[in-house]
Structures are given as C-alpha cells and as structure tokens.
Amino acid sequence: MRERAGENRAKLWLLLRANRLSVAGVLTVAVFLAFVAVAAAFSPSLAEKVGASDPIETLFASMITAVVTGATLVVTIGQLVLTQENGPLGEQQERMDGTLAVRDDIAALTGAPTPTDPAMFLDAILGAASERARDLRESVSDREGTGDGAERDALRDDIDDLVTGVAENADDVRGQLEGAQFGSFDVVFAALNFDYGPKIGRAERVAADHDGALTDDERDLLAELTESLSLFGPAREHVKTLYFQWALIDLSRLILYAAVPALVVAGLTLAVVDAGTFPGRTLGVDHVTLVVGGAFAVTLLPFSLFVSYLLRVLTLAKRTLAIGPLVLRDSD
C-alpha cells in the first residue's frame, strides 16, 4: 500500500501501524515539553504571573468543562455504534440472510465451508483468487494455439501479467494474515495491501481485448477469477466496518477511563496550586511551571487518545473510500 500511494514509511507507520496508546503517550509528552519550553521562554515567568493574577484558575476551570463535555461526547459516539447493532427482529433476520448468502457464495468458490475467523475468512478468498489465476495461466500456456500467433502471444503475455500480479500479491497478503488476530489492526492492515480494484479492471480488459482468442473454459476461469476478486471487496469492507466499531468502542472506554484522573488532576491543580506551593527551580525552570505543565498534559490525555485513534480511523477510511475497480490516489 505504501509503494502504490508513494507514502512516506514513517508517516504511514504513525498513522496506521503504531500502537494507539503509544501515540497518545507521545502526544501527551510533547504537550508537556512544549508547554514548559514556551512558558520558560517568555517573560514574565509563569510563577510571576501566578503570583500577580490567577491563570491557573482560568486554565483548569476551562479544562474541567472540556473534559466533562468530551466524556459526554464519547457516550454519544458509543450510542451511535450501538444503534447500528439494534433493530427489530425482521431487520436482524435480513442481516443474517445477507451474511449467509455471501458465505454461501464464498463456500461455492472455495469448495469448502467459509471460515469464521476474520483473517481466515479473507485468506480463503485470496487463496481461491490465487488458485484461479494459476489455473488460467496453465490453461492458456498449455493450449495448442490456432489462428494468429501474434494474438496468442499477446494473450499469454497479458494473462501472465495478470496472474503474476494476483498470485504474488495474494500470497504476500496471505502470509501477513497468518496468525493475525482481529482487533489488533493486523487483519485490516493486511487486507489493505491487496489492491483488488485494479486487478478486476485488468481482468475485464483481458476479457474484452482477447475475447476471440479465449476458449469457453478460459472464459469461465477468467470469470471465476473476477468473481473471487469482486468477493474480496465486500469482505474487506465488512471486516473494516467491524474494526471501526471495535475501535470506537475501545476509544470510548479509554476516554472514559482517562477522564477520571484528568478531572482529579485538574481539580487538584485548581484548588491547591498557587505561586507558593512549589517553590524553587530546576535547570532554570520554575517548579510551578513543571507542575502546571504536567497537570495540563494529563488533563489533555482524553483528547490525545481521541486524536491517536481518529488518525488511524480517518486514514483507513480515506484509503478505502471506493469499492470495486475505481482507484483513488492521493499522497495526503
């Protein structure tokens, strides 16, 4: 995916692969360091301002309001996720029927019961696509050609390019899916690395450009390959949607966990800290500046968690906007 989009490796790692709690922790530390650096650089110092006025009260009273409002927003997000799971019996039956219908299609394609594990579910489709692609190449390569030799050579070249792209990409992604556990983002990230859209378009072009040179069996194999590629699209979207719900639930829970210590720290700072609470300096920085900066960073922890998860969710949503053979490319 990084190579197709021309993306910077470090940026992609930060947006998608990095542990979300680690990203939130780095953001919290960055806020603390930035606060202390800026507060220490300006004159008069924060300690002098605290003695002359009360910036702590203004700052942390606002932070308490923000944390309470943010926690309420999180409850709203959780309700939104849960709303998608609620519904009358008829709608639930329709959802079940649709799911079983797709599973039947995949079982017919693979010749085996459809796995229930998300990683194995995607692996089964990729395995079928790789197998159909290799069968198609073998059929075209082994067939005794009739008619124009140049046309047969062009067909073999196009089929070989199509099959190589499908089989190598599918085998690589299947290796990434092996042992991946849903909820850790590994399954979704591996699925992103299979660009089924361009492959469907390539298969359609091969069918159109060489219709007269293909046998009926080869047309069937090409149609089965296209079907396996097209099944991967909704399968990936289904797994991605489940991951979105999983991530939003985790995010809501973590923010509620973080909101409690954030409120405690903000309240204690508001009630206890003044110019004389933490006298002295360390490395030229007033202790009160370090304390207020640390309290500010901890109070912002729920927001840091929100930013870290939202970076991944929005990046993933942008990378998978289109379903089917429509390719969107943007370096942002």
Side-chain angles (χ1 to χ4, degrees):
M1 180 182 64
R2 181 184 63 83
E3 294 173 353
R4 294 197 308 270
E7 193 66 89
N8 179 272
R9 184 184 297 273
K11 178 182 177 181
L12 188 64
W13 177 83
L14 174 65
L15 293 176
L16 293 174
R17 295 293 287 166
N19 182 278
R20 296 299 94 185
L21 295 180
S22 298
V23 173
V26 169
L27 287 174
T28 302
V29 172
V31 168
F32 169 73
L33 294 176
F35 184 97
V36 171
V38 173
F42 280 87
S43 181
S45 67
L46 179 61
E48 294 175 0
K49 292 179 181 179
V50 171
S53 60
D54 203 350
I56 293 178
E57 180 179 355
T58 303
L59 175 61
F60 285 95
S62 300
M63 293 302 297
I64 290 175
T65 303
V67 171
V68 173
T69 303
T72 304
L73 178 61
V74 165
V75 173
T76 304
I77 294 175
Q79 289 176 339
L80 178 63
V81 174
L82 294 176
T83 298
Q84 301 179 29
E85 301 301 314
N86 298 329
L89 180 60
E91 291 183 4
Q92 299 296 340
Q93 182 62 49
E94 290 178 3
R95 290 179 60 191
M96 176 63 78
D97 291 342
T99 299
L100 293 179
V102 175
R103 290 179 61 83
D104 288 342
D105 291 340
I106 296 174
L109 184 70
T110 61
T114 304
T116 56
D117 178 76
M120 297 304 297
F121 174 67
L122 296 175
D123 179 82
I125 302 175
L126 292 173
S130 180
E131 181 181 353
R132 297 300 187 279
R134 291 188 169 95
D135 289 345
L136 176 61
R137 177 164 56 188
E138 183 178 349
S139 175
V140 172
S141 299
D142 294 346
R143 173 165 58 92
E144 291 295 333
T146 58
D148 183 60
E151 185 178 0
R152 292 199 308 273
D153 291 341
L155 171 62
R156 290 192 181 99
D157 289 342
D158 285 348
I159 290 295
D160 187 66
D161 289 343
L162 171 64
V163 171
T164 299
V166 171
E168 290 182 356
N169 194 188
D171 291 345
D172 182 55
V173 173
R174 294 182 72 189
Q176 297 173 29
L177 287 170
E178 185 176 357
Q181 296 293 322
F182 183 79
S184 65
F185 189 68
D186 291 340
V187 176
V188 179
F189 187 77
L192 290 176
N193 288 325
F194 188 73
D195 56 334
Y196 68 92
K199 293 175 173 56
I200 294 176
R202 186 65 181 274
E204 292 173 344
R205 287 196 299 273
V206 170
D209 294 344
H210 304 286
D211 183 65
L214 291 168
T215 66
D216 291 340
D217 288 341
E218 290 163 355
R219 289 192 187 91
D220 291 341
L221 286 172
L222 188 57
E224 290 178 358
L225 172 59
T226 304
E227 181 186 6
S228 62
L229 293 173
S230 64
L231 281 173
F232 184 84
R236 189 187 73 176
E237 291 303 302
H238 178 60
V239 172
K240 182 193 75 174
T241 300
L242 292 176
Y243 174 78
F244 278 170
Q245 295 176 334
W246 183 291
L248 289 175
I249 290 172
D250 279 348
L251 172 61
S252 300
R253 184 176 59 189
L254 287 172
I255 288 180
L256 291 176
Y257 289 162
V260 175
L263 286 173
V264 171
V265 170
L268 287 175
T269 305
L270 179 62
V272 174
V273 177
D274 58 25
T277 306
F278 296 97
R281 301 167 66 116
T282 298
L283 299 177
V285 181
D286 295 321
H287 290 167
V288 69
T289 301
L290 296 174
V291 171
V292 173
F296 180 69
V298 171
T299 307
L300 277 181
L301 183 56
F303 179 73
S304 298
L305 288 167
F306 181 76
V307 170
S308 67
Y309 270 81
L310 205 62
L311 282 174
R312 174 183 282 176
V313 169
L314 293 180
T315 302
L316 179 57
K318 183 177 181 180
R319 298 294 177 188
T320 56
L321 281 176
I323 184 171
L326 187 63
V327 180
L328 308 178
R329 286 289 177 264
D330 195 316
S331 61
D332 292 335

